Amino acid sequence: MKIEVTYGQYHDAMYSYGIGLGFSHDDCVDAIQDVFCRLINSKALEKVDNMRFFLLKCMKNRLLKNYRDSNANKTCYLKDENFENFEIKVSMIDGILAKERQELLKKKVESALNMLTARQREAVYLRYMQEMEYVEIGALMNLTPDSAKLSVHRAIKSIRENPSLKPIAYVTVFALLRSL
Amino acid sequence: MVNKKKKDILTDNDFIEWQLQRTEDAERYWDEYVERYPEREAEVRQATEDFRTTVRLNDYRLPQEDEYLISHHIWKMAGISRRLYIRRILWMAACIALMITVGSILPLLDRSEKNMENRQTAGADAIIGAQQPVSELQLISGDRVAQFQKDAEIELSDKGEAVVNKGEKVVPLAKEVINTLLVPYGKRAQIQLSDGSKLWLNSGSRLDFPASFTGDTREISVTGEVYLEVAKGKQFIVHAGGFDVVVHGTKFNISSYPGTASQYVVLVEGKVEVEVDRKGKAAEMLMPDEMLQITAGTAEKRSVDVSRYISWTRGILIFDHTPITAVLEEIGRYYNVSFDVPDNAPLKRKTCSGKLALDEDFDAVMRSLSVMSKITYARDGNAVELKVKE
């Protein structure tokens, strides 16, 4: 596939992910350009199975690298692992739900997201908006696949043990995310 | 399993968690739920659909102007280096071929420049170039402006439409007005007019043309460099800023860049009359393989090797003892690189002979040029630097 086409498909995803990670508009624009300019002369794209995962990974790495480079002369700056800020802005597409129901849903979604940690929010964003598998999410967020699997397993197990208890079921849904 | 009979499923907390996270356990939970309450299956499905079409998280879009700027950059980079990796393999072979070419041309090279008396240091001696952003090709018809990112091949149809790149885009042309095709530096275009005449426009050129020729004569205006293959028909006149060319069925090249010292017409086939814009001067008649060079209103006719003047239509530049400054001017137009030549640069006296294939990327062209004319070439981002080889 031509790189222009790939760019056309994924630039919004990359931009939106970068903004979510807390980077500025300018940083995101620079990073997108850097990522694609580097890919022009490489064969990397041809070998990619999962383009979305690949490009989001590139985007994150590039944002962090640009951030490190721009702070190279400073004695003190945030380390990568401190980039644990992930904000989610909930927006609703009008016209499908009645106004009050839409408002109520928005509030509930927001409060559900507020209960999560930043990393859990990042995972939810990647799962819901980018429709990525948890294995990919784990890889993107530097989690081992094993820990992701284990979490899922644990969650299923507790649901089986307490099939009718709402509070437990409610908690188990979070089990995976909490372990992130 | 919780009975959610009385609740609105869409705004149910469990449902929201499920939609947001889609974890395997949640999927299982809702499968079981639907199994237990089959009568609510439709409602669950509807709620799922509503949720997914309504709720957006961080639904940011790259603003259009940034999207455009980046894509522009990528197009440019991809355009000139798409085949780079193939070239890496072919590069050695190309080098050898080039060395053979250069070897045969070497005697032509201006040896007097060989022993430049002193060692050159960077700075005022070097020619510095800067790669400029390439703008779009524009086709202007009345109020309508169509822009193209890539080099364009345009054909005017019978219906007065401009068909671009074999139908990739169709631009209707205004009937009564003169249309304009602007080819910026770094781009080329080819256009077939309504009478079947074919024109190749080099970088930095402009063509004014009607959607169809209605009067007694066919008339167009050009600036920059154009190669024409005129179809038979009514008298064809080309206004070229400073001179007119009256065509008698032919193939010829016009170079009339504003701001350059001289302009010229080179005839390949047929017959043309060149009317230099000066009173009391008879029109110059050109025969094939002749060039009329117009410098400050003075016309000078001589025989030339025409292939040199039309090779650009095939993406090749041919030089024969051509001053390096003239070479850089042509290359600069083609790739939209502006070269800054200091007055005392030793390079100014260098000349260059040989063939340069322009369909390669800019760096490869500059490397070839540096081999051809014994200069060093260095690049840092958009800036390039040329120096006399030690």
Side-chain angles (χ1 to χ4, degrees):
Chain A
M1 201 191 315
K2 283 193 171 176
I3 192 161
E4 297 95 315
V5 180
T6 308
Y7 165 75
Q9 271 178 345
Y10 294 104
H11 60 67
D12 282 338
M14 292 164 76
Y15 180 76
S16 143
Y17 183 48
I19 295 286
L21 285 167
F23 288 92
S24 71
H25 162 84
D26 288 350
D27 288 343
C28 292
V29 169
D30 288 348
I32 294 171
Q33 176 156 323
D34 291 347
V35 165
F36 280 102
C37 286
R38 269 165 189 278
L39 290 173
I40 284 169
N41 288 334
S42 89
K43 283 190 200 163
L45 277 187
E46 296 162 25
K47 294 177 198 148
V48 172
D49 297 327
N50 188 333
M51 191 58 78
R52 186 176 299 270
F53 167 77
F54 174 78
L55 288 176
L56 291 182
K57 185 87 186 165
C58 287
M59 180 71 180
K60 192 178 196 178
N61 289 345
R62 176 51 50 178
L63 283 165
L64 293 174
K65 185 180 187 308
N66 287 355
Y67 176 81
R68 275 197 303 270
D69 289 352
S70 67
N71 288 287
N73 298 331
K74 296 180 187 162
T75 48
C76 169
Y77 61 89
L78 284 174
K79 288 226 172 86
D80 290 1
E81 52 266 34
N82 292 333
F83 271 99
E84 303 233 329
N85 180 32
F86 199 94
E87 292 302 324
I88 292 186
K89 198 179 117 216
V90 179
S91 56
M92 308 294 259
I93 303 221
D94 295 328
I96 291 149
L97 304 175
K99 209 158 189 176
E100 293 107 58
R101 199 157 166 243
Q102 183 179 314
E103 275 306 302
L104 177 64
L105 178 62
K106 188 178 180 195
K107 276 199 190 110
K108 288 204 163 198
V109 170
E110 279 169 345
S111 68
L113 291 169
N114 281 337
M115 291 167 70
L116 306 176
T117 68
R119 285 178 72 77
Q120 289 166 344
R121 274 198 294 275
E122 184 175 346
V124 164
Y125 166 80
L126 294 169
R127 182 87 180 118
Y128 183 78
M129 288 300 281
Q130 306 289 354
E131 297 180 341
M132 288 169 71
E133 299 299 327
Y134 271 112
V135 182
E136 297 159 12
I137 293 170
L140 187 54
M141 297 176 66
N142 294 329
L143 298 163
T144 61
D146 275 356
S147 79
K149 247 181 225 164
L150 195 69
S151 312
V152 174
H153 182 73
R154 206 185 298 140
I156 293 166
K157 201 175 151 203
S158 47
I159 248 184
R160 279 211 200 100
E161 283 163 1
N162 307 280
S164 62
L165 291 175
K166 182 180 162 119
I168 304 274
Y170 179 80
V171 164
T172 52
V173 177
F174 278 110
L176 165 70
L177 294 165
R178 200 159 288 151
S179 69
L180 291 177
Chain B
M1 185 65 63
V2 181
N3 185 349
K4 293 193 169 76
K5 212 153 200 163
K6 304 229 161 55
K7 289 178 77 182
D8 175 11
I9 286 182
L10 181 68
T11 52
D12 175 79
N13 286 332
D14 280 0
F15 175 80
I16 291 171
E17 311 304 347
W18 173 41
Q19 290 302 319
L20 288 175
Q21 295 158 16
R22 291 266 169 185
T23 48
E24 281 177 33
D25 54 326
E27 299 284 358
R28 218 167 281 229
Y29 177 93
W30 284 91
D31 282 350
E32 279 174 40
Y33 177 80
V34 169
E35 237 167 73
R36 186 168 298 192
Y37 305 103
E39 72 278 7
R40 302 205 72 176
E41 192 186 342
E43 201 187 326
V44 169
R45 204 181 307 127
Q46 184 62 46
T48 303
E49 198 185 311
D50 288 348
F51 190 97
R52 296 196 77 77
T53 43
T54 303
V55 177
R56 312 298 293 161
L57 308 179
N58 280 357
D59 197 10
Y60 302 111
R61 303 280 156 89
L62 181 61
Q64 203 160 16
E65 62 266 28
D66 298 296
E67 197 260 290
Y68 169 75
L69 283 174
I70 298 173
S71 69
H72 202 234
H73 201 79
I74 297 168
W75 263 307
K76 202 174 96 188
M77 301 263 293
I80 60 175
S81 61
R82 165 149 294 141
R83 293 174 303 267
L84 189 67
Y85 73 96
I86 298 172
R87 269 199 305 281
R88 272 181 199 143
I89 304 157
L90 294 178
W91 180 238
M92 286 311 289
C95 267
I96 293 162
L98 184 73
M99 293 316 283
I100 294 165
T101 316
V102 170
S104 63
I105 287 167
L106 271 178
L108 299 173
L109 276 172
D110 230 333
R111 294 309 189 97
S112 62
E113 308 302 328
K114 201 175 137 197
N115 302 315
M116 297 304 294
E117 64 278 32
N118 44 16
R119 285 161 193 283
Q120 310 304 333
T121 47
D125 301 336
I127 293 178
I128 306 293
Q131 195 150 25
Q132 310 292 323
V134 176
S135 42
E136 297 78 18
L137 272 164
Q138 293 188 332
L139 180 58
I140 303 162
S141 179
D143 297 333
R144 189 190 299 269
V145 179
Q147 302 193 325
F148 311 106
Q149 301 280 0
K150 289 177 273 187
D151 291 358
E153 215 181 302
I154 300 165
E155 198 171 316
L156 300 197
S157 71
D158 299 338
K159 286 175 266 173
E161 292 164 327
V163 182
V164 182
N165 293 338
K166 301 197 163 49
E168 190 180 291
K169 209 167 179 181
V170 176
V171 184
L173 296 175
K175 288 241 159 53
E176 305 308 321
V177 299
I178 293 295
N179 308 293
T180 301
L181 180 61
L182 290 176
V183 185
Y185 291 153
K187 294 271 164 63
R188 267 70 47 196
Q190 195 187 328
I191 183 168
Q192 183 170 342
L193 299 178
S194 56
D195 64 340
S197 296
K198 276 190 185 170
L199 281 75
W200 283 255
L201 282 88
N202 207 344
S203 309
S205 300
R206 172 194 173 127
L207 167 72
D208 294 304
F209 64 98
S212 63
F213 296 104
T214 46
D216 292 328
T217 54
R218 297 174 286 174
E219 295 188 37
I220 59 169
S221 302
V222 298
T223 55
E225 183 158 25
V226 185
Y227 171 66
L228 300 93
E229 290 184 356
V230 177
K232 288 202 169 70
K234 289 178 283 192
Q235 189 172 50
F236 197 104
I237 301 172
V238 184
H239 303 286
F243 59 93
D244 290 349
V245 180
V246 181
V247 178
H248 303 275
T250 193
K251 297 178 181 174
F252 63 103
N253 191 76
I254 292 177
S255 175
S256 167
Y257 282 108
T260 48
S262 66
Q263 304 161 321
Y264 59 81
V265 180
V266 173
L267 184 63
V268 179
E269 219 178 277
K271 201 161 80 174
V272 297
E273 267 176 84
V274 184
E275 298 178 353
V276 182
D277 189 14
R278 272 178 356 130
K279 45 191 182 290
K281 256 283 191 185
E284 292 276 3
M285 188 71 85
L286 275 189
M287 303 307 273
D289 295 328
E290 284 188 327
M291 170 167 101
L292 190 74
Q293 186 158 24
I294 302 139
T295 311
T298 316
E300 186 198 334
K301 192 157 77 177
R302 59 185 156 107
S303 293
V304 292
D305 172 10
V306 290
S307 61
R308 206 195 120 186
Y309 294 93
I310 60 165
S311 62
W312 65 267
T313 59
R314 291 177 286 121
I316 294 169
L317 296 183
I318 302 173
F319 301 112
D320 180 10
H321 289 83
T322 311
I324 196 105
T325 49
V327 174
L328 290 178
E329 202 175 313
E330 283 209 58
I331 294 174
R333 273 202 289 268
Y334 202 94
Y335 292 103
N336 202 21
V337 178
S338 64
F339 290 99
D340 183 14
V341 185
D343 277 339
N344 59 345
L347 268 175
K348 262 187 106 174
R349 295 193 296 275
K350 278 224 169 254
T351 61
C352 174
S353 299
K355 263 187 199 178
L356 265 185
L358 291 175
D359 58 349
E360 305 209 0
D361 77 293
F362 177 68
D363 285 305
V365 167
M366 293 308 290
R367 279 194 296 268
S368 309
L369 179 69
S370 58
V371 173
M372 281 162 74
S373 49
K374 292 197 160 185
I375 55 175
T376 63
Y377 163 64
R379 172 161 186 169
D380 181 16
N382 283 339
V384 298
E385 190 186 67
L386 300 172
K387 280 194 288 186
V388 173
K389 206 171 268 179
E390 299 287 353

